[in-house]
Amino acid sequence: MHHFQYKEDELYCEDVPVRLIAEKIGTPCYIYSLATLSHHFMTFDSAFINVSHLTCYSVKANSNIAILKLFGSMGGGVDIVSGGELYRARKAGIPPERIVYSGVGKTVEEIDFALREKILMFNIESTQELKQINRRAEKTGTRPSVSLRVNPDIDPNTHPYISTGMKRNKFGISVDSALQAYEEAKDLKNIDIVGLDCHIGSQLTDVTPFVDALKRLRSLIDRLRQKGACIKYLDLGGGLGIVYDQESPPQPHEYARALLRELEDIDCTLIFEPGRVIVGNAGLLVTKVLYTKRTQAKNFIITDGAMNDLIRPSLYGSYHHIQPVVRSLKETEIVDVVGPICESGDFLARDRGLPMPESGDYLAVMSAGAYGFTMSSNYNSRPRAPEVLVKGGQFSVIRERETWEDLVRPEIIPDFL
């Protein structure tokens, strides 16, 4: 469900014409719908209203502080994977007791920052990390809570780059290693193991892998409690998919129903880390057509949006629906939508049916709210796009477009040149 709809052949975001934003702000630009963001967060969170839980939005999906502020105001927390994301979360006013810290490579500086902020807990990815946090806690005079991230070796049936819960992945520790880690942790005097964590992958469209992973975690909790562990939190991660093309992912209430059947009498506060399912279909990327080009082999639409703005099609082969901002009666043709970057892999769509636009027309790349701007770059010295948030009939720039000056500001020419 989203608030991007045509009104008399013109695409609107809520009550604002997308064309108007593109003309005023320029392209490429990201546009987000506040109503969609709010609705998706509320829909997910309310699916678990009858159990003790905390919805910790996954910052990596879309890290703009205005969006973090919105979810925090709705009672949400955040799942972070870096010191920079922690800084963003605190800048957005997220209370530290609603922050969980995941990620396999936490540095000393990042750990110390999180200890100073007194976050809810660290999700531990290895025994070496466990000992490092214990050392830093002793040095800083703190006593953090930690959970063990378990790799349940479950195939999530998703793209291999976003599969995270199989034994060949870098994330988490095995079930047996978790038992051993707990035994080691009992001798560590500066930390408390209070939970288990699991995240098996992203863009999952079936509840079965979630349920299979949960069964393994449930068994592990029982074994840990037999050893005297006080497991208060069960972090089930995120990964619930969205519709990009023809997918049929479960709705949050279906996901909740399947999980809660396995969680009866678990006596834990549940933590969820949704990202894509909240923001994915709440945003789009608007790009302007620069040129069209017909060759013997292909028809090309060349836009000012490129792989540096939205890398998912090039990186994952991902599908994003593309539609004209103003519809026409032209016949559909098979085209490639490509950008200006000097790479053959620079495309937003290949062999796609679209009416051939004119130079200056706008195209909307849909479902771009997750892993769009956050994965963008300055490749080819291209400034990153602005972000715009729409509420009803008004809109606001929540990140300004970078300038050429911004690109070189951190760079220094040494005296010996």
Side-chain angles (χ1 to χ4, degrees), residues 78-289:
V78 293
D79 162 54
I80 61 168
V81 294
S82 73
E85 288 189 348
L86 175 55
Y87 182 83
R88 285 179 173 276
R90 295 297 289 129
K91 198 79 172 174
I94 305 296
E97 63 271 19
R98 292 194 224 151
I99 299 175
V100 296
Y101 193 168
S102 305
V104 299
K106 305 177 185 74
T107 67
V108 167
E109 293 77 14
E110 290 173 321
I111 291 169
D112 287 354
F113 181 23
L115 290 172
R116 290 195 303 271
E117 292 296 313
K118 297 182 173 60
I119 65 169
L120 176 62
M121 65 183 182
F122 292 88
N123 289 333
I124 301 301
E125 303 259 6
S126 67
T127 53
Q128 286 188 19
E129 182 190 340
L130 188 67
K131 294 173 182 176
Q132 178 73 287
I133 291 178
N134 182 67
R135 286 193 294 269
R136 301 313 302 172
E138 181 178 23
K139 191 171 184 66
T140 56
T142 56
R143 188 176 183 86
S145 295
V146 304
S147 68
L148 303 175
R149 177 168 178 174
V150 177
N151 185 324
D153 194 25
I154 296 292
D155 187 353
N157 299 313
T158 189
H159 192 285
Y161 287 8
I162 51 177
S163 167
T164 59
M166 299 182 70
K167 61 184 178 183
R168 63 174 178 262
N169 299 133
K170 67 180 180 179
F171 300 96
I173 55 181
S174 68
V175 170
D176 290 337
S177 296
L179 293 167
Q180 180 182 345
Y182 174 71
E183 292 296 335
E184 293 184 30
K186 286 196 296 187
D187 296 326
L188 302 178
K189 302 185 184 304
N190 304 292
I191 60 173
D192 293 316
I193 290 189
V194 298
L196 284 183
D197 169 50
C198 176
H199 182 89
I200 59 175
S202 190
Q203 185 52 17
L204 274 69
T205 56
D206 180 12
V207 297
T208 303
F210 291 115
V211 173
D212 291 344
L214 177 55
K215 288 178 178 178
R216 298 189 184 186
L217 286 180
R218 179 77 193 252
S219 174
L220 179 57
I221 287 175
D222 292 339
R223 294 166 71 182
L224 285 169
R225 283 176 170 168
Q226 289 171 7
K227 291 177 176 289
C230 180
I231 303 298
K232 298 188 292 184
Y233 297 99
L234 176 56
D235 187 336
L236 294 170
L240 193 60
I242 65 170
V243 176
Y244 286 102
D245 186 14
Q246 302 296 321
E247 302 92 344
S248 300
Q251 294 297 309
H253 70 274
E254 297 169 323
Y255 167 75
R257 186 166 58 243
L259 294 184
L260 294 177
R261 276 198 297 264
E262 302 295 330
L263 288 169
E264 191 173 358
D265 301 323
I266 191 67
D267 193 25
C268 284
T269 294
L270 304 179
I271 295 177
F272 300 97
E273 301 170 359
R276 187 192 315 267
V277 71
I278 306 293
V279 297
N281 281 322
L284 55 77
L285 174 67
V286 185
T287 182
K288 184 166 68 174
V289 176

